[in-house]
Amino acid sequence: MGEISEWLEEALAMAERRRKNVFGFRVIVECYPNMTEDVMTELRRRGIRVIGNVRNFVIVDVKDPAQLDEIARISGVIYISKEKKFWPMAHGLDELFKRIAILTDPLLSKLTVSQLERLGFSFKPAAEIPNPIKAMIENVQALGEVATNPFKALEYIKTAYPFGLPVPTRAPCRLVTHTRELLGVPKDNRLSMRTYVGVIDTGVRYGPGLGSPLEIKCISLSVPPEPPIDTMSHGSWCHACAFGKPAITRYGYFYPVANAPKSLHVKVFAAFGPCSSYQIMKAMEICVKSGCRVVSMSLGGTLTEPVDKDPECKLLDQLTEQYGTIFVVAAGNEDGKFEIGSPGAALKALTVAALDWADKYRTSSYSSRGFQGKWYLEHKDVFEEHLARYGDIFLKPDCGGIGGDRKSQIVSACSLWYDGLYDFVPDGWDLMIGTSMATPHVAGMVALLVDRGVVKTVDEIKDILRTTSMEVHTSKLGTGVIHQWNYGTHRQIWLENKSDEQGWGVFHWDRFKR
């Protein structure tokens, strides 16, 4: 008989205690690989709606919680967990998408904030949520102040490196051109045609900094269905940063981390809408089957299962083992210990924390700390067991990339409407911060390393980071501050070289010159 997720049973019990009926929620049924088709056939025979499957993970629409036991008794079923919601990891935007995800979820919407927190969700103050309307009002007020006192304009004028024109902007910023240099990325950044790369995000706006549809193939999996065009700016920002094209901007000359002649973008987020496990898992499968060597994933969701049972983590590990694809994943923006999201918690993921370019590579204030996801905070015995079984690849994050902070933001490509609302200049370039921004910095560098034959697999990357970690901890490349962790018998074995803030330290090009 298959096992039902402890987290799912607890969430349903919480809703029941509040006398809330839960109907029509989705679960992921993990099956034995050679019995997946048989399980799907049996589910349909019993009148249980099958949404689809990715490998041996079947997504099912459950009408009533009582059906869970029925599904668990089907031969071939291993594990049943709730389908998760995911959000982009740009600071502030993640909180907006997370709240929308909870409000629209048939189960989570029935729970109180305190219950959700007990289940592992973390919440930021509402003031952190981006508000374009508020930004417009503030801009109008600023224009009024400048009209009455022209010298006021000097307060809003800043210069972005390198040698950008003085421009009005809401925070100190740097172009990716500068942040890539801080990571030591070589000027010669063009990928060859043999290194195909992918991004899973909100879509792209074609044009300067990104390229044309002939250069970026975009597939949309968004729900509700939308064209592959970026309606949120996040995907454009990340794709341009990692695999974009050089361009002239009002902030200065934009230069991406890697210049990809061909790339893939799978759109999973609709306008102001989170996405589901099925979309994420399908997108990962599309990327590997399309031949992507490196995939950038500036997204995540709350880890609700251990890594050996979490569907997204298991799928990432499976795809990495079979195809050799390197998945570079955001750690999260929850500003706390044991806050790594899924699928960043996966063993084979290269999980990226955010660093502040303005403060000597210190960990950004919002960046999620490890050593794992929230589920393990309440299951310390399992943490100990998994640490002993998997070693230091189980500890997260793995490294740090530049993601900026509230007063040290980063400029890349975005959608014109987004940019226009914030500064009245719809030129397609704007500021963002987050582990979302750190991730494409690292993904672009990984693609260059793979293309040049320096590394081939994520294991090779981690080996190099591991062996150079003590150098980084004591050099100008990063702080690598080690935080003592007081429970657990294995902490002295691996924790001496890996911190809960930056893992093995900043992902710098010089570490791979060997």
Side-chain angles (χ1 to χ4, degrees):
M1 180 172 174
E3 181 183 355
I4 301 174
S5 161
E6 171 190 309
W7 186 95
L8 175 55
E9 291 185 323
E10 184 179 358
L12 289 169
M14 286 179 175
E16 185 177 355
R17 286 196 292 271
R18 296 193 70 220
R19 298 180 180 178
K20 299 289 185 179
N21 295 322
V22 181
F23 301 105
F25 61 96
R26 290 184 177 184
V27 298
I28 301 178
V29 181
E30 182 185 1
C31 314
Y32 290 105
N34 61 339
M35 299 184 70
T36 303
E37 289 297 328
D38 294 339
V39 170
M40 293 172 66
T41 300
E42 181 62 20
L43 287 167
R44 293 188 180 103
R45 189 188 70 79
R46 299 185 183 210
I48 300 172
R49 184 185 174 208
V50 174
I51 307 300
N53 75 293
V54 179
R55 295 171 72 94
N56 62 314
F57 298 96
V58 181
I59 291 75
V60 174
D61 192 359
V62 176
K63 295 180 180 178
D64 185 279
Q67 285 186 319
L68 293 176
D69 287 329
E70 181 183 356
I71 295 171
R73 286 193 292 269
I74 296 175
S75 177
V77 170
I78 301 173
Y79 194 75
I80 303 171
S81 59
K82 186 185 179 303
E83 185 186 43
K84 289 194 284 294
K85 296 290 186 179
F86 294 82
W87 38 86
M89 286 302 175
H91 186 264
L93 194 64
D94 56 345
E95 187 65 22
L96 173 64
F97 277 58
K98 183 195 304 177
R99 295 189 183 203
I100 294 172
I102 290 170
L103 289 173
T104 57
D105 187 271
L107 173 54
L108 301 180
S109 60
K110 303 292 194 301
L111 306 179
T112 65
V113 172
S114 62
Q115 287 177 323
L116 290 167
E117 289 175 339
R118 287 203 298 276
L119 289 171
F121 290 90
S122 300
F123 298 96
K124 301 182 185 72
E128 297 280 9
I129 299 175
N131 189 332
I133 304 303
K134 179 183 177 183
M136 288 183 65
I137 294 172
E138 290 175 349
N139 285 340
V140 170
Q141 292 173 341
L143 289 173
E145 292 175 1
V146 171
T148 56
N149 181 6
F151 290 102
K152 270 281 187 181
L154 296 176
E155 298 180 10
Y156 302 98
I157 300 296
K158 298 176 177 66
T159 301
Y161 181 94
F163 312 116
L165 297 173
V167 292
T169 180
R170 60 187 180 275
C173 61
R174 292 289 184 269
L175 270 168
V176 169
T177 308
H178 174 56
T179 53
R180 71 186 297 282
E181 289 179 1
L182 294 176
L183 295 173
V185 184
K187 189 71 173 178
D188 177 18
N189 70 338
R190 186 167 179 82
L191 298 176
S192 67
M193 291 294 290
R194 66 178 175 271
T195 304
Y196 196 47
V197 291
V199 177
I200 301 174
D201 215 295
T202 68
V204 292
R205 69 114 177 98
Y206 295 110
L210 284 155
S212 71
L214 295 177
E215 296 165 306
I216 303 176
K217 179 181 180 181
C218 195
I219 299 170
S220 181
L221 300 179
S222 63
V223 177
E226 287 183 354
I229 302 302
D230 187 5
T231 54
M232 283 305 301
S233 287
H234 186 272
S236 297
W237 199 109
C238 295
H239 201 120
C241 174
F243 310 123
K245 297 286 185 291
I248 297 173
T249 81
R250 66 189 176 100
Y251 296 94
Y253 190 71
F254 174 80
Y255 210 69
V257 177
N259 183 342
K262 297 283 186 180
S263 59
L264 173 67
H265 192 110
V266 184
K267 176 176 177 174
V268 292
F269 296 105
F272 296 103
C275 70
S276 67
S277 297
Y278 185 39
Q279 292 162 276
I280 293 291
M281 297 170 80
K282 200 70 178 175
M284 292 165 65
E285 184 181 52
I286 288 172
C287 285
V288 298
K289 288 189 174 181
S290 298
C292 291
R293 303 283 302 279
V294 181
V295 178
S296 182
M297 299 179 67
S298 293
L299 50 82
T302 301
L303 185 73
T304 60
E305 311 290 338
V307 296
D308 60 345
K309 293 180 179 178
D310 182 84
E312 296 78 22
C313 289
K314 290 194 71 172
L315 178 67
L316 187 151
D317 291 343
Q318 288 178 11
L319 295 175
T320 301
E321 288 284 355
Q322 180 176 348
Y323 293 90
T325 303
I326 301 172
F327 290 92
V328 185
V329 189
N333 302 330
E334 300 301 349
D335 183 23
K337 293 181 181 295
F338 281 82
E339 289 284 8
I340 304 299
S342 172
L347 302 174
K348 293 292 185 179
L350 184 63
T351 310
V352 186
L355 313 180
D356 185 1
W357 57 261
D359 192 16
K360 298 180 181 178
Y361 301 100
R362 289 282 178 180
T363 308
S364 301
S365 60
Y366 53 79
S367 186
S368 290
R369 273 64 171 171
F371 283 108
Q372 253 296 337
K374 201 66 166 284
W375 187 90
Y376 285 98
L377 195 59
E378 302 299 325
H379 300 82
K380 296 180 180 179
D381 56 333
V382 182
F383 183 94
E384 286 293 332
E385 178 190 335
H386 285 185
L387 180 58
R389 183 191 307 171
Y390 302 121
D392 60 357
I393 63 169
F394 171 66
L395 302 175
K396 299 291 177 170
D398 295 307
C399 61
I402 294 181
D405 216 320
R406 292 170 179 83
K407 293 185 179 180
S408 49
Q409 305 206 14
I410 310 173
V411 177
S412 184
C414 69
S415 300
L416 273 66
W417 75 265
Y418 178 94
D419 180 32
L421 281 176
Y422 275 100
D423 60 12
F424 291 164
V425 184
D427 60 344
W429 302 87
D430 206 11
L431 294 59
M432 288 189 187
I433 61 171
T435 50
S436 268
M437 288 58 251
T439 300
H441 278 85
V442 173
M445 293 172 69
V446 170
L448 288 170
L449 291 167
V450 170
D451 192 63
R452 284 155 171 72
V454 179
V455 296
K456 293 182 179 180
T457 68
V458 70
D459 292 334
E460 290 179 17
I461 292 172
K462 291 183 179 182
D463 284 342
I464 293 172
L465 292 175
R466 182 185 294 109
T467 55
T468 59
S469 63
M470 289 311 295
E471 297 173 25
V472 172
H473 290 167
T474 57
S475 76
K476 65 180 181 178
L477 300 183
T479 59
V481 178
I482 296 178
H483 292 269
Q484 290 302 318
W485 174 61
N486 294 320
Y487 76 80
T489 57
H490 300 276
R491 69 182 177 92
Q492 292 300 325
I493 300 176
W494 295 291
L495 290 142
E496 291 180 358
N497 288 349
K498 200 170 188 182
S499 79
D500 63 353
E501 290 190 5
Q502 299 181 16
W504 287 301
V506 60
F507 198 98
H508 196 283
W509 189 264
D510 287 349
R511 300 178 72 174
F512 296 86
K513 290 181 178 179
R514 293 180 181 270

